[in-house]
């Protein structure tokens, strides 16, 4: 059985006090994991240890990136071991904002995923096409290329322990989410591609890009959508809680 996940990507937002307040609000609103849905939040690095020290149940911690090496002379970087040390169980890798701003490649994302799994973190690996690529009918080709590049570097065994997030770049932060049909089509193709690479097992496939409390139910009703990677809406307690509740409904 594939698990259902709702992941909040807080990006570069919230100071420590604000992060603690938001988590407290999520607990009050019952936006926490249960037998059906896992709830994960990915705050900025600076808030991670404060949240771990505060302690909470039912919400798992993730980071938004990690370095490919264990330690060394890499100024400004954070290793997977360090993330584990502050209580993370997940790490987002290959987000389109990192691909855009830090020129991360599929091979690099694959290497990071390999190291993260080796250390004991579960990677949430992001893929997705640009607007122009969708317009010119290249979506499938782009996604296949990304999956191929990642699996070739990380290895099928590693990817089978990961989570994949399909995030069309044109949908991120634009308010223009993919339709359930568009997302389902790509998710089905990702699942087929993974099988071609002998990545079996129950890899959850998340949709990300302008997910809201309003469009979540439609997305979650699709056969190959196992949850969401939520950016903007994860900073609003009520809205994120509603998305978690929609995910719970979809598993019943
Ligand atoms: P968004 O971001 O929900 O604000 O579109 C999603 C993401 O970047 O993971």
């Amino acid at each position: 059985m594939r698990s259902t996940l709702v992941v909040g990507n807080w990006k570069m937002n919230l100071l420590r006090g604000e992060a603690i307040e938001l988590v407290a609000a999520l607990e009050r609103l019952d936006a926490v994991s249960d037998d059906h849905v896992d709830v994960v939040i990915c705050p900025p690095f600076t808030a991670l240890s404060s949240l771990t020290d505060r302690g909470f149940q039912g919400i798992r911690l993730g980071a938004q990136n990690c370095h490919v090496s264990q330690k060394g002379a890499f100024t400004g970087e954070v290793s997977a071991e360090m993330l584990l040390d502050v209580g993370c169980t997940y790490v987002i890798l290959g987000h389109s904002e990192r691909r855009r701003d830090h020129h991360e490649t599929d091979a690099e994302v694959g290497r990071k995923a390999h190291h993260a799994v080796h250390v004991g973190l579960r990677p949430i690996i992001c893929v997705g096409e640009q607007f122009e690529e969708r317009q010119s009918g290249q979506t499938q080709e782009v996604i296949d290329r990304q999956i191929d590049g990642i699996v070739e570097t990380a290895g099928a065994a590693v990817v089978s322990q990961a989570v994949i997030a399909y995030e069309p770049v044109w949908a991120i932060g634009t308010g223009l989410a993919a339709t359930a049909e568009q997302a389902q089509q790509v998710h089905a193709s990702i699942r087929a591609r993974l099988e071609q690479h002998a990545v079996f097992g129950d890899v959850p496939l998340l949709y990300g890009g302008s997910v809201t409390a309003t469009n979540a139910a439609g997305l979650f009703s699709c056969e190959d959508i196992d949850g969401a990677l939520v950016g903007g809406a994860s900073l609003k307690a009520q809205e994120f809680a509603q998305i978690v509740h929609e995910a719970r409904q979809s598993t019943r």
Side-chain angles (χ1 to χ4, degrees):
M1 252 273 283
R2 302 197 300 266
S3 46
T4 301
L5 277 97
V6 178
V7 182
N9 175 11
W10 291 3
K11 308 193 180 184
M12 197 174 73
N13 292 293
L14 305 188
L15 302 178
R16 288 177 304 164
E18 296 167 325
I20 288 170
E21 268 173 37
L22 180 49
V23 166
L26 295 178
E27 285 175 334
R28 279 197 302 278
L29 295 164
D30 190 33
V32 296
S33 308
D34 61 9
D35 292 344
H36 305 284
V37 177
D38 275 333
V39 178
V40 183
I41 52 163
C42 302
F45 293 136
T46 48
L48 289 172
S49 67
S50 307
L51 289 170
T52 302
D53 291 348
R54 173 193 178 269
F56 45 84
Q57 289 197 330
I59 299 179
R60 292 183 182 278
L61 266 190
Q64 300 169 18
N65 177 41
C66 69
H67 196 261
V68 69
S69 305
Q70 187 183 348
K71 60 178 173 176
F74 302 104
T75 302
E77 295 290 343
V78 172
S79 73
E81 288 80 354
M82 290 166 181
L83 297 178
L84 206 66
D85 186 46
V86 289
C88 288
T89 45
Y90 287 86
V91 59
I92 298 172
L93 295 177
H95 190 281
S96 68
E97 286 153 13
R98 293 207 56 86
R99 290 173 184 264
R100 181 195 66 202
D101 299 338
H102 301 273
H103 313 292
E104 287 192 8
T105 62
D106 296 317
E108 199 176 342
V109 173
R111 280 196 296 276
K112 287 183 179 191
H114 188 275
H115 184 64
V117 166
H118 174 74
V119 163
L121 290 176
R122 191 173 197 193
I124 300 169
I125 302 171
C126 303
V127 296
E129 82 286 3
Q130 306 279 343
F131 180 70
E132 302 73 34
E133 292 166 336
R134 175 161 284 269
Q135 288 299 94
S136 58
Q138 291 175 285
T139 300
Q140 170 97 39
E141 193 187 317
V142 170
I143 303 292
D144 283 353
R145 193 174 61 230
Q146 291 174 337
I147 295 287
D148 294 355
I150 290 161
V151 180
E152 275 155 24
T153 340
V158 161
V159 179
S160 69
Q161 293 178 63
V163 175
I164 307 267
Y166 167 55
E167 296 207 309
V169 179
W170 47 270
I172 296 177
T174 58
L176 191 77
T179 64
E181 293 72 25
Q182 287 172 323
Q184 164 58 27
Q185 196 177 25
V186 176
H187 281 227
S189 82
I190 293 175
R191 207 169 291 293
R193 197 73 177 180
L194 289 175
E195 277 175 23
Q196 280 176 26
H197 282 287
V199 176
F200 299 115
D202 298 324
V203 177
L205 301 185
L206 312 183
Y207 168 78
S210 296
V211 175
T212 63
T214 313
N215 61 23
L219 290 160
F220 295 154
S221 68
C222 297
E223 192 183 337
D224 289 296
I225 299 183
D226 305 314
L229 179 53
V230 187
S234 72
L235 296 169
K236 301 175 206 150
Q238 289 279 0
E239 177 118 23
F240 189 67
Q242 188 58 38
I243 295 169
V244 172
H245 296 314
E246 297 294 353
R248 231 175 248 157
Q249 278 302 115
S250 74
T251 63
R252 299 236 158 92

